Amino acid sequence: MNKNIVALALTASLALSVAACSGNTAPAVDDAPQEQPAGTSITQSPDKYTWYIKDYVGMNAASVGYEAIDGFRHDAYGSGNIKLIFVAADGTYVDPGNDDQLKEHVVTGQNVKPNTEMKYEYEVDSDGEEYDNLINFQTIDEVVLSVDKVGANGPAAELTEIASSPDKYTHYIRDYVGRNLAECGYYSLSGKLADAYGHGYIFFDIVADDGSFVDPEDEAQLAGYMVVAQSVEPNTEIQMTYATDSNGEEYSNLVNGQNIEAVTLNVTKAPDSGYPIGDDSGDEPEASDDADSETAPAHDAESESASSTDFRAFLDTYEDFMNEYVDFMVSYKDSGDTASMLAEYSDMMARYADMAEQLEDIDEDSLSADDYAYYMEVMGRVTARMAEIGQ
């Protein structure tokens, strides 16, 4: 990969801002665990805008989706994907990147019923033309899966069905109770744990029952806790407003206000953290002999497929992020009061650092020719958009 292009991309990356808090409750939603019979027939997608949630019940956890760059499990749906959250009944951390641990678990329930419709809206360019694979909004971002040890036949974790978002302005607070704390969000440079909601996000205030400090940057420590209560009820409505340019036109993805900013999570020690995680969970693999290389292609093909899906999902996220950056910078340039935008700028810089860290994790030498071509295509569009800042 061209490191100069990556360096340019890193220099440019920024993010979003949030505002004050309160909330209204969404219409009542059935909160019973959504256990479904195996083999549900899933409706075929009629177009790139409409998809139907799969039936994950009965699947081995290692067979579900793929580990994405953000450290969570995702599953591809057309040009986009959804995040998958594993919840064990006892609060154990089930590491989405540890295949050995995942193979020990089976999916026993899901909080979104199979065949639930999910709709996409695509980003458009400056001429109003729709991008082929850049999603601006989707009605379902996440599916929670209860898991249990293979053969245990224990009770499924209780799951709450969360209302689908009708538009990019409206989202609903998720149910974090019962989750392992490491599966609740990501560490932001604001010094807090956060979780994304559309183009916005909320912060978590963590309160341990014994008064201990829980470091949101320490994933191993997070994995040692489970959530027992939250300060904002699941399905409470979040309303977002978007910034406008000098002509009063609304930016497609630049949030400048939302009515809920933070949620307090009360946590207690989980019985088993599930750590160590991912590649740190075992010994370094031994180098294989040339004679054993004949067995490698099948495994490599599977890895390459997962890597390709993961990499392209990240590039889509990156392009969406850079569109936000350009929108903000144009707004900043046209503003007569840049001082009032400094808070937003600082917040974007914090998200920039998160993006930079994700980019650094990419093995540049492992990209296939197709992935590199896709990378150049995305960078070409990003470069074209960046030119708008100087116009």
Side-chain angles (χ1 to χ4, degrees):
M1 182 182 292
N2 188 323
K3 295 181 183 291
N4 290 330
I5 296 178
V6 173
L8 172 63
L10 284 171
T11 302
S13 298
L14 299 175
L16 301 168
S17 59
V18 295
C21 60
S22 67
N24 300 314
T25 303
V29 179
D30 180 13
D31 63 357
Q34 299 301 326
E35 296 188 40
Q36 301 295 329
T40 302
S41 178
I42 302 303
T43 305
Q44 262 193 327
S45 172
D47 51 52
K48 70 174 186 176
Y49 308 97
T50 310
W51 298 85
Y52 297 91
I53 298 299
K54 302 172 186 175
D55 184 3
Y56 297 100
V57 174
M59 293 179 64
N60 185 277
S63 301
V64 176
Y66 59 93
E67 184 192 14
I69 291 173
D70 63 4
F72 289 92
R73 207 77 179 174
H74 287 246
D75 198 10
Y77 282 76
S79 300
N81 64 84
I82 58 170
K83 182 191 289 186
L84 301 172
I85 301 294
F86 293 131
V87 177
D90 63 356
T92 297
Y93 178 57
V94 180
D95 176 16
N98 187 331
D99 278 347
D100 289 338
Q101 187 190 25
L102 292 175
K103 288 174 183 176
E104 297 175 351
H105 290 82
V106 61
V107 178
T108 57
Q110 59 191 74
N111 77 324
V112 181
K113 296 176 182 177
N115 278 316
T116 298
E117 184 180 83
M118 176 176 63
K119 300 288 286 187
Y120 287 150
E121 291 180 6
Y122 286 74
E123 186 66 80
V124 296
D125 62 21
S126 56
D127 296 322
E129 294 294 322
E130 198 174 78
Y131 288 109
D132 290 333
N133 51 17
L134 182 57
I135 293 168
N136 177 262
F137 164 74
Q138 59 193 75
T139 56
I140 300 173
D141 290 314
E142 173 183 291
V143 173
V144 181
L145 304 178
S146 62
V147 296
D148 197 5
K149 290 279 190 175
V150 173
N153 298 319
E158 293 188 6
L159 304 178
T160 302
E161 184 178 354
I162 303 301
S164 298
S165 297
D167 50 53
K168 69 176 184 178
Y169 307 98
T170 309
H171 299 271
Y172 299 96
I173 293 292
R174 299 171 183 134
D175 188 359
Y176 298 98
V177 174
R179 289 195 197 187
N180 185 280
L181 192 54
E183 282 278 82
C184 288
Y186 62 92
Y187 174 72
S188 69
L189 290 191
S190 64
K192 290 189 173 185
L193 199 65
D195 196 14
Y197 281 77
H199 297 298
Y201 52 91
I202 60 168
F203 294 117
F204 294 124
D205 295 316
I206 304 170
V207 179
D209 55 2
D210 63 358
S212 298
F213 171 68
V214 181
D215 185 355
E217 189 176 8
D218 186 346
E219 189 175 6
Q221 188 184 21
L222 294 177
Y225 286 89
M226 64 180 292
V227 180
V228 294
Q230 61 189 71
S231 62
V232 181
E233 287 293 321
N235 281 308
T236 298
E237 185 177 276
I238 306 176
Q239 281 293 328
M240 296 178 179
T241 58
Y242 285 72
T244 56
D245 62 20
S246 57
N247 296 320
E249 294 292 325
E250 187 176 83
Y251 291 112
S252 65
N253 48 23
L254 183 57
V255 174
N256 71 347
Q258 58 189 65
N259 65 332
I260 299 177
E261 182 182 35
V263 173
T264 299
L265 299 181
N266 296 88
V267 300
T268 191
K269 282 283 188 179
D272 181 5
S273 71
Y275 251 69
I277 63 169
D279 294 336
D280 297 327
S281 62
D283 298 330
E284 290 294 323
E286 296 179 2
S288 59
D289 296 329
D290 290 342
D292 296 330
S293 63
E294 294 178 1
T295 61
H299 173 74
D300 289 345
E302 292 176 3
S303 299
E304 183 177 345
S305 175
S307 174
S308 178
T309 303
D310 192 359
F311 181 71
R312 293 186 181 214
F314 172 74
L315 284 182
D316 291 344
T317 300
Y318 170 74
E319 185 175 10
D320 190 21
F321 182 74
M322 290 305 299
N323 281 321
E324 294 176 25
Y325 166 69
V326 172
D327 290 341
F328 176 81
M329 291 304 296
V330 171
S331 177
Y332 185 87
K333 184 183 68 171
D334 295 339
S335 175
D337 182 19
T338 54
S340 66
M341 302 177 72
L342 289 180
E344 291 179 70
Y345 182 84
S346 297
D347 201 50
M348 287 188 176
M349 286 303 296
R351 291 295 299 275
Y352 155 73
D354 287 344
M355 181 66 75
E357 184 177 353
Q358 293 179 47
L359 283 172
E360 289 173 1
D361 289 339
I362 296 174
D363 182 1
E364 299 172 3
D365 296 327
S366 68
L367 294 182
S368 66
D370 287 343
D371 281 350
Y372 185 78
Y374 188 67
Y375 165 79
M376 295 301 295
E377 177 187 340
V378 169
M379 288 304 171
R381 290 197 296 266
V382 169
T383 301
R385 284 232 60 198
M386 287 288 290
E388 297 176 25
I389 298 174
Q391 293 175 357

Coordinates of all heavy atoms in Angstrom, one line a residue, residues 217-225 273 275:
E217 N -10.0 2.5 29.4 CA -9.0 2.2 28.4 C -8.5 0.7 28.5 O -7.8 0.2 27.6 CB -7.9 3.2 28.5 CG -6.9 3.1 27.4 CD -5.8 4.2 27.4 OE1 -5.8 4.9 28.5 OE2 -5.0 4.3 26.5
D218 N -8.7 0.1 29.6 CA -8.2 -1.2 30.0 C -9.2 -2.3 29.6 O -10.1 -2.6 30.4 CB -7.8 -1.3 31.4 CG -7.1 -2.6 31.8 OD1 -7.1 -3.5 31.0 OD2 -6.6 -2.6 32.9
E219 N -9.1 -2.9 28.4 CA -10.1 -3.8 28.0 C -10.1 -5.1 28.8 O -11.2 -5.6 29.1 CB -9.8 -4.2 26.5 CG -10.9 -5.1 25.9 CD -10.7 -5.4 24.4 OE1 -9.7 -5.0 23.9 OE2 -11.7 -6.0 23.8
A220 N -9.0 -5.5 29.4 CA -9.0 -6.6 30.2 C -9.8 -6.4 31.5 O -10.5 -7.2 32.0 CB -7.5 -7.0 30.6
Q221 N -9.7 -5.1 32.0 CA -10.4 -4.8 33.2 C -11.9 -4.7 32.9 O -12.8 -5.2 33.6 CB -10.0 -3.5 33.9 CG -10.6 -3.2 35.2 CD -10.2 -1.9 35.8 OE1 -9.8 -1.0 35.1 NE2 -10.4 -1.7 37.1
L222 N -12.3 -4.1 31.8 CA -13.7 -4.0 31.3 C -14.3 -5.4 31.2 O -15.4 -5.6 31.6 CB -13.8 -3.3 30.0 CG -13.4 -1.8 29.9 CD1 -13.5 -1.4 28.4 CD2 -14.3 -1.0 30.8
A223 N -13.5 -6.4 30.7 CA -14.0 -7.7 30.5 C -14.3 -8.4 31.9 O -15.0 -9.5 31.9 CB -13.0 -8.5 29.7
G224 N -13.8 -7.9 33.0 CA -14.1 -8.4 34.3 C -15.4 -8.0 34.9 O -15.6 -8.4 36.1
Y225 N -16.1 -7.2 34.2 CA -17.4 -6.6 34.8 C -18.6 -6.9 33.9 O -18.4 -7.0 32.6 CB -17.3 -5.1 35.0 CG -16.4 -4.7 36.1 CD1 -15.0 -4.5 36.0 CD2 -16.9 -4.5 37.4 CE1 -14.2 -4.2 37.0 CE2 -16.1 -4.2 38.5 CZ -14.8 -4.0 38.3 OH -14.0 -3.6 39.3
S273 N -13.9 -13.6 33.2 CA -13.7 -12.5 32.3 C -13.6 -12.9 30.8 O -13.8 -12.1 29.9 CB -12.4 -11.7 32.6 OG -11.3 -12.4 32.3
Y275 N -10.8 -13.5 29.5 CA -9.5 -13.1 29.0 C -8.5 -14.2 29.3 O -8.7 -15.0 30.2 CB -9.1 -11.8 29.8 CG -9.1 -10.6 28.9 CD1 -10.3 -10.1 28.4 CD2 -7.9 -10.0 28.6 CE1 -10.3 -9.0 27.6 CE2 -7.9 -8.9 27.8 CZ -9.1 -8.4 27.3 OH -9.1 -7.3 26.5

